[in-house]
Amino acid sequence: MTDQYAVIGNPIGHTKSPLIHGLFAEATQQAMSYVAIEGPLAPDDGFADVVREFAANGGKGMNVTAPFKLKAFALADARSERAALAGAANALKFEHGRIIAENFDGIGLLRDIEVNLGVPLAGKRVLLLGAGGAARGALLPFLAANPAELVIANRDAAKARALVAQAGARAAAVRACGYGDLHAMGRFDLVVNATSASLTGDLPPVPPGVFNPAGIAYELAYGKRLTPFLRLARNAGVHRIADGVGMLVEQAAEAFDWWRGVRPETASVIDRLTVPLD
């Protein structure tokens, strides 16, 4: 019987995950199927029932996307440290009747920045916009990369401070602030928009002075072309801008490796999915 995998979300029609994992499976000669499942959104949504039924019918693993990452985390019997800090899971593995939760969003983002874009974070000043699930997932991988300073800015500064506090002893190089405090903080080598603003065509209230023209601006949203955030960066003189398509593929590759024990090549898949930003 072919091993079964899936992605669950709602809406799910836009997902690229079946294409990505299909390409991975073909390239690595893995006998597996991968489908998209639209999860229920009713108040007693039955999300847990859908996941358990998939596992009971031979499912080996699942990717999880909005709005179910928190529910997937809560459902799990075991959770990785990355998932625990994020408070969310974007991947599940089913083993011996147990559900194991992981979160590869942050490590996928870091790999795209450091490997694909060639920007090591060691010794860099990094600004992370937002303190939600995406920022939480990025925190541990970013800290492991040894930046000179990591600043987390959020509309609600208390939420950013709470995230820094959760990092504990590893947070020596991390600061939290509100957007209004950024005017006095100078330029950053990397600015990452981890807010949801670009999904609605909005812009977080970031001063143009945070951008280093010799640095890079990274937008987690993908396929949106030149978002307001990337346009602000470009108008501030930043030449290197990127969206989250590389992160999407890299986190998928991490999940694939976790499930199958082989890490697929990603460059050709990223090239296939890349949409010009201009």
Side-chain angles (χ1 to χ4, degrees):
M1 184 176 179
T2 302
D3 290 342
Q4 300 172 57
Y5 297 87
V7 58
I8 186 167
N10 192 319
I12 201 65
H14 66 286
T15 183
K16 304 293 185 185
S17 292
L19 170 62
I20 293 170
H21 285 277
L23 292 171
F24 287 167
E26 181 180 359
T28 58
Q29 298 183 321
Q30 296 291 300
M32 57 181 282
S33 66
Y34 190 106
V35 299
I37 297 174
E38 185 167 270
L41 288 181
D44 55 343
D45 60 22
F47 170 78
D49 294 334
V50 173
V51 173
R52 290 195 175 106
E53 182 180 4
F54 180 78
N57 289 333
K60 299 294 187 182
M62 264 186 169
N63 285 124
V64 183
T65 188
F68 298 121
K69 292 184 180 183
L70 299 181
K71 290 181 184 248
F73 176 82
L75 180 63
D77 301 298
R79 306 167 181 91
S80 72
E81 183 183 19
R82 284 188 295 257
L85 182 60
N90 85 325
L92 301 174
K93 183 191 287 188
F94 310 123
E95 286 186 341
H96 311 298
R98 301 174 75 239
I99 300 174
I100 305 167
E102 252 290 7
N103 191 309
F104 294 116
D105 285 335
I107 198 167
L109 170 62
L110 180 66
R111 184 174 176 86
D112 190 38
I113 292 170
E114 291 203 320
V115 177
N116 299 334
L117 300 177
V119 181
L121 266 59
K124 301 288 198 307
R125 295 193 77 219
V126 179
L127 173 59
L128 188 59
L129 304 176
R136 294 168 70 92
L139 183 56
L140 281 185
F142 272 25
L143 288 177
N146 296 313
E149 182 181 24
L150 173 61
V151 173
I152 302 173
N154 194 57
R155 196 178 300 273
D156 180 355
K159 190 175 180 181
R161 287 193 293 270
L163 178 53
V164 171
Q166 281 188 272
R170 291 162 295 200
V174 189
R175 281 199 288 167
C177 68
Y179 290 128
D181 302 315
L182 290 173
H183 293 275
M185 290 193 176
R187 294 175 170 178
F188 292 85
D189 303 299
L190 170 67
V191 182
V192 178
N193 183 19
T195 74
S196 60
S198 293
L199 299 178
T200 54
D202 296 321
L203 176 69
V206 183
V210 301
F211 295 102
N212 179 350
I216 185 168
Y218 194 104
E219 170 73 80
L220 258 62
Y222 63 91
K224 302 288 184 183
R225 297 189 181 269
L226 202 62
T227 64
F229 167 77
L230 293 179
R231 184 173 290 109
L232 178 70
R234 177 157 286 179
N235 290 342
V238 179
H239 297 293
R240 297 199 67 192
I241 60 175
D243 73 0
V245 66
M247 172 189 172
L248 172 71
V249 175
E250 293 296 344
Q251 64 80 26
E254 293 292 331
F256 191 94
D257 188 13
W258 187 48
W259 293 329
R260 307 299 299 178
V262 57
R263 197 181 197 286
E265 178 270 334
T266 56
S268 62
V269 181
I270 293 171
D271 287 344
R272 178 164 175 167
L273 296 178
T274 294
V275 174
L277 296 179
D278 293 319

